[in-house]
Amino acid sequence: MTDRAQLKIWRGLDRAAGCWETHEVPFEPGQSVLDGLRWIRAHRDPSLAIRFSCINANACKECMIELDGKTVYACTARLEPREMTLAPLSNKALVRDLVTEIAPPAERFS
Amino acid sequence: MHAETDVLVIGAGGAGMYAAIEAARGGSRVLLIDRSLIGRGGATVMAQMTVAVALGAETPDHWSHHYADTLGAGRGLCAEPLARLLCEEGPACIDEMDEWGVGWARKDGRIVQAQAPGHDRPRCVYVDFLNTGPAVSKTLRTVVNRAQGIRKAGDLAVVDLLRVDGAVVGAAAWHVATGAPVTIAAKTTVLATGGLTRLYRRNSASANMGGDGYALALRAGAPLLDMEFVQFFPIGHLAPRLIGMDPIMWDPFRYKLGGRLLNGQKEEFTSRYGSDESGKYVLARDVATYAIIKEVEAGRGSPHGGAYLSFEHCPPAALREAFGPVIDRLAANHIDLTRMPVEVAPIAHYHMGGIAADARMATEVPGLYAAGEAVGGANGANRLSGNAITEALVFGRRAGRSAAERAGGMKTQPFRPAAARAALDLIAAPARGGGPNTAEMVETLRATMADDVGPLRDAARLTHALERIAELSRALGDRPSGEGTAFDLRRLEWFDLRNMLLVARVVAATALAREESRGAHQREDFPATAPDWRVNQVVRWRDGQLALARSAAAPREMAAQ
């Protein structure tokens, strides 16, 4: 059983000069938003930036994004057969696309 | 950008963080870096299970008993000095973690030790059955944060180690967050980059464990050991899609409740492979892996190509007691164990092979040390359950101490940019449009490794894998794709693939050369364990070519099998 989700994703290196891009992704019920983002990277556009490490264990806490305006972990938010709006965290410095600077200052290279 | 330090630690999992702590205690300035975020990636944070250590808190124990079990599981191939170090120094590290407040589970004031397969007595400590690794990570991160002299930097992907006169003098890295090239001058360097599970389609560790450290060591002139031995965990979660949980989570519950392993026709099948469990959890990992794969090949697999794991015979109250809040997390995934089985299949879990190091964690290359899963040899052909975190802690501590000792006796040398020229040339390569889809290439490589270099091997499949890896290497080319701007995953994946393809080639080549079956390496065309093959394979990188050699395995007193 395959459903389809429309992922409307914010893309850009600069908040003032970003754009929205929509990709349709196939999924089986139970799959995560991160599964959908990884599908886009492997099948449509490898330049899409998303930060993740543990993939689905909710252990690394690296994949925080905003889904429809709410902060979620992409690895535990589920894909749904509708348009889902994905944006970088609005309260963190933007790095690229869905990636923000979430490390404490003392753990960044400077 | 440029940084200088006494000790550079690459990889901020359990081994890397312990190495940093110990090196700082030894008086060194430390730079702890990770390609991901500090203390979040790697394998330690994912380890939900137990930690093997001869504390003797449950029943009298001595490190020599743990050592005997480790050598037995290793099927005659363990590097004895490393296995001994792991077992002998395990208790001190576990005690220190206890002082640091990790919170080992206690009963009546003493630390609880559970029995695990392959151990002769209850030896495995834990925090709680699904939280051991995260607690270990968090504790070490807290200690790292309050230690004097440890500088931390995430988002640094090391491209190559730097060498002057044969010694490692630091590293060249790509700062993922900005795209900037970085050079690091270090008196000594510790590789704590973990294993290579990312090379496989389904695995139980973080996405950033693609064998980077093996490739870095190899290119810097250090040999690798036992690279054909990849441990598969037999009952990794397969279906339905389960999120928010580690895919190897079923093991402790199976252990507690005796979950039944069934084929696609809902029949018990392990007895066909010489091991009747009768509802008990006694099946060795390699036997369970073999049985599941063979059942699938015979057309009797579960719908997604594995086996069923069923707890349907367990009373709901027993399930609730054993699983606790996990039952609710399963319910959120629409899994009701009282009414349905789940599907499980072997999943890449751990790498026994790795960088050859002595009992000080020194490699053959001056200035270069290794720690944790990145080190090869301690676990021989098959790792005993519970040894991975112990190894991370003990080897991390020892590597940090050795690296600090050497650094303490060295004068600061002026940085020689020439040593970094080739790596910087790659890192700063101009934008290259088009090119292969790196994310797709990673998936292709993972499929190849899973299908052709998995738990059951033969010459035809291994040869096919080597051809496929060579094709992918040609497609990758020798100049990075992507732009090299901030968080350009195409460029990061290009560097990843450069390492992953080299390491995949090493695994397939050593697996093809070892014409016998032993531990985690099972050749269907050479099913017997051959006494002549009680040797370790050593791989070196010479003039762009892999050179394989054999060296006699250390164990004397333990018979193979």
Side-chain angles (χ1 to χ4, degrees):
Chain A
M1 183 170 50
T2 303
D3 287 322
R4 304 188 86 78
Q6 286 78 43
L7 298 185
K8 184 181 169 192
I9 303 165
W10 191 90
R11 303 288 306 268
L13 283 157
D14 178 346
R15 294 227 188 238
C19 62
W20 294 91
E21 225 178 68
T22 300
H23 289 275
E24 188 167 86
V25 303
F27 72 97
E28 287 185 16
Q31 284 195 279
S32 69
V33 169
L34 182 59
D35 290 338
L37 293 168
R38 291 168 61 220
W39 187 90
I40 292 169
R41 293 201 65 254
H43 296 95
R44 295 286 180 268
D45 184 359
S47 74
L48 172 64
I50 170 80
R51 186 195 282 283
F52 66 94
S53 177
C54 78
I55 302 177
N56 68 352
N58 199 217
C60 72
K61 315 287 186 190
E62 292 191 5
C63 62
M64 276 190 289
I65 59 170
E66 287 186 4
L67 164 61
D68 299 329
K70 291 200 181 83
T71 299
V72 299
Y73 295 111
C75 77
T76 55
R78 305 221 180 234
L79 285 173
E80 292 167 16
R82 64 177 177 88
E83 181 176 272
M84 306 179 83
T85 302
L86 310 180
L89 296 178
S90 49
N91 60 343
K92 302 281 181 190
L94 179 73
V95 176
R96 182 194 205 111
D97 299 346
L98 298 176
V99 179
T100 49
E101 188 50 88
I102 56 170
E107 295 179 1
R108 299 178 199 165
F109 187 73
S110 55
Chain B
M1 293 195 278
H2 181 72
E4 306 238 344
T5 187
D6 295 330
V7 176
L8 170 65
V9 180
I10 303 171
M17 288 194 284
Y18 218 132
I21 292 164
E22 188 67 14
R25 279 200 290 219
S28 286
R29 292 174 306 154
V30 179
L31 177 58
L32 172 64
I33 68 174
D34 198 287
R35 50 163 293 154
S36 176
L37 301 179
I38 299 297
R40 314 265 204 110
T44 306
V45 74
M46 299 280 288
Q48 299 192 336
M49 307 278 291
T50 60
V51 184
V53 59
L55 283 184
E58 193 80 30
T59 51
D61 201 354
H62 186 266
W63 67 263
S64 60
H65 303 311
H66 183 191
Y67 180 54
D69 286 345
T70 298
L71 296 188
R75 308 285 199 267
L77 286 196
C78 292
E80 278 191 356
L82 300 188
R84 177 177 171 142
L85 179 71
L86 186 165
C87 299
E88 199 170 3
E89 296 197 352
C93 289
I94 293 303
D95 284 343
E96 186 159 66
M97 290 296 295
D98 194 48
E99 288 162 26
W100 287 335
V102 70
W104 302 125
R106 284 184 142 79
K107 193 177 174 188
D108 305 327
R110 60 167 181 78
I111 293 174
V112 180
Q113 294 190 275
Q115 179 79 46
H119 291 272
D120 72 346
R121 68 197 72 202
R123 184 173 289 139
C124 294
V125 304
Y126 55 92
V127 173
D128 98 29
F129 264 120
L130 293 183
N131 197 40
T132 299
V136 167
S137 266
K138 190 177 169 205
T139 302
L140 289 170
R141 199 167 159 215
T142 304
V143 177
V144 162
N145 283 340
R146 67 172 188 244
Q148 297 293 311
I150 303 177
R151 202 176 144 198
K152 295 148 286 183
D155 276 339
L156 276 180
V158 173
V159 169
D160 268 312
L161 299 173
L162 307 180
R163 283 191 300 163
V164 170
D165 301 332
V168 167
V169 297
W174 186 61
H175 187 224
V176 182
T178 59
V182 174
T183 49
I184 300 164
K187 291 175 180 168
T188 55
T189 298
V190 179
L191 283 169
T193 44
L196 50 62
T197 37
R198 187 189 179 196
L199 295 182
Y200 288 86
R201 186 196 287 127
R202 297 174 57 251
N203 67 70
S204 64
S206 298
N208 47 25
M209 305 237 316
D212 309 12
Y214 305 137
L216 293 173
L218 205 56
R219 287 197 298 263
L224 306 180
L225 191 67
D226 295 343
M227 289 297 285
E228 63 271 40
F229 293 104
V230 181
Q231 185 168 59
F232 282 76
F233 187 87
I235 56 166
H237 186 83
L238 179 63
R241 186 77 176 100
L242 172 63
I243 60 184
M245 306 284 289
D246 184 323
I248 68 158
M249 59 158 292
W250 296 113
D251 209 50
F253 302 114
R254 187 153 186 252
Y255 183 59
K256 278 186 185 174
L257 295 168
R260 294 168 69 209
L261 211 48
L262 307 170
N263 68 12
Q265 291 145 17
K266 303 277 177 84
E267 304 160 336
E268 294 199 326
F269 63 94
T270 55
S271 57
R272 288 184 199 146
Y273 303 93
S275 182
D276 185 3
E277 287 205 292
S278 310
K280 294 191 196 72
Y281 180 66
V282 293
L283 207 53
R285 284 182 180 177
D286 47 2
V287 178
T289 294
Y290 183 83
I292 293 171
I293 291 173
K294 283 292 160 191
E295 206 64 7
V296 173
E297 280 180 7
R300 294 189 297 266
S302 63
H304 288 81
Y308 286 116
L309 175 63
S310 172
F311 294 93
E312 292 160 279
H313 60 288
C314 301
L319 287 172
R320 170 60 71 174
E321 189 191 342
F323 282 79
V326 174
I327 286 277
D328 304 316
R329 283 156 78 180
L330 292 171
N333 284 279
H334 304 290
I335 294 171
D336 178 355
L337 295 177
T338 63
R339 298 191 308 109
M340 60 191 279
V342 295
E343 290 179 60
V344 295
I347 187 170
H349 183 49
Y350 173 86
H351 194 46
M352 271 72 75
I355 302 160
D358 65 17
R360 297 174 304 123
M361 298 294 121
T363 71
E364 264 185 25
V365 177
L368 183 63
Y369 299 79
E373 190 177 348
V375 178
N379 297 288
N382 179 53
R383 177 174 62 81
L384 191 63
S385 70
N387 269 2
I389 298 288
T390 319
E391 166 185 86
L393 303 176
V394 170
F395 291 1
R397 184 173 79 145
R398 179 52 68 105
R401 187 178 303 166
S402 299
E405 280 169 7
R406 178 179 162 92
M410 292 170 72
K411 291 201 183 92
T412 301
Q413 300 289 330
F415 181 66
R416 291 208 234 159
R421 196 164 294 145
L424 289 177
D425 180 53
L426 272 186
I427 294 168
R432 183 164 76 117
N437 179 332
T438 48
E440 185 185 18
M441 283 179 77
V442 169
E443 295 312 315
T444 304
L445 174 62
R446 287 151 57 92
T448 298
M449 292 300 284
D451 294 340
D452 292 337
V453 198
L456 306 187
R457 303 160 170 184
D458 61 45
R461 281 183 289 183
L462 292 168
T463 304
H464 179 254
L466 284 165
E467 289 165 1
R468 201 81 188 88
I469 291 164
E471 279 169 30
L472 286 166
S473 298
R474 281 193 294 275
L476 189 71
D478 55 9
R479 300 298 291 168
S481 46
E483 300 162 357
T485 48
F487 227 90
D488 180 357
L489 289 185
R490 287 169 301 174
R491 183 148 296 192
L492 182 62
E493 268 161 351
W494 190 90
F495 286 124
D496 285 350
L497 280 161
R498 173 174 175 250
N499 292 336
M500 291 169 81
L501 287 165
L502 175 59
V503 175
R505 185 175 152 199
V506 171
V507 175
T510 50
L512 182 62
R514 181 175 284 277
E515 295 184 330
E516 65 147 2
S517 292
R518 184 185 296 266
H521 171 76
Q522 294 293 318
R523 284 283 297 259
E524 296 195 275
D525 46 355
F526 295 96
T529 300
D532 290 357
W533 265 107
R534 213 172 122 207
V535 293
N536 301 97
Q537 291 196 89
V538 178
V539 178
R540 290 167 194 277
W541 183 246
R542 285 205 185 110
D543 306 321
Q545 296 295 321
L546 294 181
L548 269 61
R550 299 177 193 179
S551 68
R556 302 282 178 265
E557 72 267 36
M558 301 297 298
Q561 294 293 342

